[in-house]
């Protein structure tokens, strides 16, 4: 398989390794990006990469809570200027309220549902005409709870990051919001170790084993070292294993349990994650806004 410059660039961005190391790793793995990352890590050239989606598009996230139902949404705009616009903020809130009231299953279904005397898509289109930029509903998730549970809603930087948590067993909104703030700051991938697939654990153990052997560690202590490093890996990706941002002496799981609750779920949206941003410099962006 031909190794392209864009593949080398992506691997370099995801691992921080040098260009030649990236090209060599891709060549050895026949262009398999994930295997190339593992190979660089085994050689001690790269650190563990979380899913390295580049933060790209502009817009806002928003959380709407009504009783035992809540929704988190992301609506995108072309520029950060529009994301700060009061009309755009009102649009995002209206979209969230509409989705929560009608409970669509998909974005397409949501856009086709009635909104006032038209559809949600037509409402967005009218705002596009007023605001002067392409606007789009990217994603949403509707979450439900019981009377004994609590929602935690948190928007960071006005909505650049949005988090919706559910705590089970205790209706403590303040605690649920504290957990949401932790999720916004630390960005775990899972609630607990139980949610990590066996395939992912096996792969990580293999990488850590080879990494330790490449470091010249004696084989008789490699297994113990790997288990220690695997615990650190779980701490990086699992919410309950992480030191709580409000009390670093306790893990999130223990802190919440001491309050009589457990973390049931969380949803974390960061604006533009996984999307490419068009190439445009700041000066051009300003001039575009002036012209409008």
């Amino acid at each position: 398989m031909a190794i392209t410059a864009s593949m080398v660039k992506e691997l370099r961005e995801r691992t921080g390794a040098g260009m030649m190391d990236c090209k060599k790793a891709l060549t050895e793995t026949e262009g398999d990006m994930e295997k190339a990352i593992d190979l660089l890590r085994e050689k001690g050239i790269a650190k563990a990469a979380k899913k390295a989606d580049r933060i790209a598009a502009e817009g806002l996230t928003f959380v709407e809570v009504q009783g035992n139902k809540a929704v988190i949404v992301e609506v995108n705009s072309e520029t950060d200027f529009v994301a700060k616009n009061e009309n755009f903020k009102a649009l995002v809130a209206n979209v969230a309220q509409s989705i929560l009231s009608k409970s669509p299953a998909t974005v397409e279904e949501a856009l086709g549902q009635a909104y006032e005397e038209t559809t949600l898509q037509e409402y967005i289109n009218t705002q596009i005409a007023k605001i002067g930029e392409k606007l789009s509903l990217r994603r949403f998730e509707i979450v439900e709870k019981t009377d004994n549970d609590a929602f935690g809603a948190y928007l960071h930087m006005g909505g650049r990051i949005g988090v919706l948590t559910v705590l089970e067993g205790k209706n403590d909104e303040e605690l649920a919001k504290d957990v949401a703030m932790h999720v916004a700051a630390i960005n775990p991938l899972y609630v607990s170790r139980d949610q990590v697939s066996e395939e992912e654990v096996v792969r990580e153990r293999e990488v850590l084993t080879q990494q330790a052997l490449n470091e010249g560690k004696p084989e008789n202590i490699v297994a113990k070292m790997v288990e220690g490093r695997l615990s650190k890996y779980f701490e990086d990706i699992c919410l309950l294993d992480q030191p709580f941002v409000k009390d670093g002496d306790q893990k999130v799981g223990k802190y919440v349990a001491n309050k009589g609750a457990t973390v049931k779920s969380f949803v974390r949206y960061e604006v533009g994650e996984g999307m490419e941003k068009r190439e445009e410099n700041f000066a051009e962006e300003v001039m575009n806004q002036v012209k409008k």
Side-chain angles (χ1 to χ4, degrees):
M1 177 180 179
I3 307 303
T4 65
S6 62
M7 292 168 65
V8 175
K9 179 174 180 287
E10 180 183 347
L11 183 58
R12 189 179 183 186
E13 289 174 347
R14 293 184 63 176
T15 63
M19 191 173 295
M20 294 308 298
D21 289 322
C22 290
K23 185 174 181 180
K24 186 177 179 181
L26 285 166
T27 300
E28 289 185 28
T29 58
E30 299 181 341
D32 188 309
M33 189 65 64
E34 299 304 320
K35 287 182 179 179
I37 291 172
D38 288 349
L39 181 61
L40 289 172
R41 289 183 58 207
E42 289 168 4
K43 292 180 177 180
I45 297 172
K47 294 181 179 179
K50 282 189 176 181
K51 297 177 181 179
D53 294 327
R54 285 170 286 184
I55 306 306
E58 303 299 337
L60 288 175
T61 65
F62 190 80
V63 178
E64 176 74 13
V65 178
Q66 295 178 6
N68 283 344
K69 285 180 64 178
V71 66
I72 181 170
V73 303
E74 178 186 348
V75 180
N76 295 130
S77 61
E78 292 183 70
T79 66
D80 187 45
F81 285 101
V82 163
K84 296 173 181 176
N85 181 292
E86 291 302 321
N87 289 333
F88 180 71
K89 292 179 182 179
L91 163 80
V92 177
N94 290 339
V95 167
Q97 291 162 9
S98 176
I99 290 173
L100 191 57
S101 67
K102 296 180 175 64
S103 298
T106 64
V107 168
E108 292 72 20
E109 183 181 341
L111 294 173
Q113 290 182 327
Y115 182 85
E116 295 181 346
E117 296 180 357
T118 180
T119 64
L120 189 61
Q121 180 65 75
E122 286 303 315
Y123 165 65
I124 294 174
N125 290 345
T126 62
Q127 298 306 303
I128 291 173
K130 290 179 181 179
I131 294 173
E133 276 194 13
K134 179 182 178 181
L135 312 174
S136 58
L137 169 62
R138 183 187 181 198
R139 53 183 172 168
F140 67 86
E141 187 162 340
I142 297 171
V143 180
E144 298 189 30
K145 71 174 186 67
T146 70
D147 291 337
N148 294 324
D149 303 334
F151 284 132
Y154 176 66
L155 299 177
H156 183 66
M157 294 177 63
R160 290 292 301 178
I161 299 173
V163 180
L164 174 61
T165 60
V166 179
L167 262 56
E168 200 169 32
K170 187 176 182 182
N171 195 343
D172 188 337
E173 292 183 2
E174 183 177 352
L175 177 61
K177 184 176 180 180
D178 285 345
V179 174
M181 292 174 68
H182 174 100
V183 171
I186 307 302
N187 192 17
L189 302 179
Y190 308 97
V191 172
S192 66
R193 298 187 184 194
D194 294 341
Q195 295 180 344
V196 184
S197 70
E198 182 62 26
E199 180 182 0
E200 184 173 347
V201 174
V202 168
R203 174 186 163 189
E204 187 64 21
R205 184 177 279 111
E206 289 174 350
V207 169
L208 293 173
T209 299
Q210 192 59 51
Q211 190 180 72
L213 291 172
N214 289 347
E215 290 170 0
K217 300 294 188 295
E219 287 191 28
N220 63 327
I221 68 167
V222 165
K224 187 174 181 179
M225 285 183 60
V226 167
E227 292 310 307
R229 291 180 179 183
L230 194 61
S231 292
K232 180 62 172 67
Y233 174 73
F234 284 128
E235 184 177 301
D236 288 340
I237 64 173
C238 298
L239 173 62
L240 300 185
D241 284 288
Q242 295 174 341
F244 192 34
V245 291
K246 294 193 72 173
D247 183 354
D249 293 331
Q250 292 192 70
K251 299 293 180 69
V252 173
K254 186 173 181 180
Y255 185 90
V256 173
N258 288 341
K259 300 283 187 177
T262 58
V263 180
K264 183 178 181 180
S265 66
F266 71 83
V267 183
R268 183 187 189 276
Y269 284 173
E270 187 162 347
V271 170
E273 56 192 346
M275 298 174 68
E276 295 284 350
K277 184 174 182 178
R278 57 195 172 88
E279 294 294 330
E280 182 176 6
N281 65 39
F282 182 72
E284 290 174 342
E285 191 172 300
V286 172
M287 288 307 299
N288 286 340
Q289 290 300 313
V290 171
K291 291 174 182 177
K292 292 172 182 176

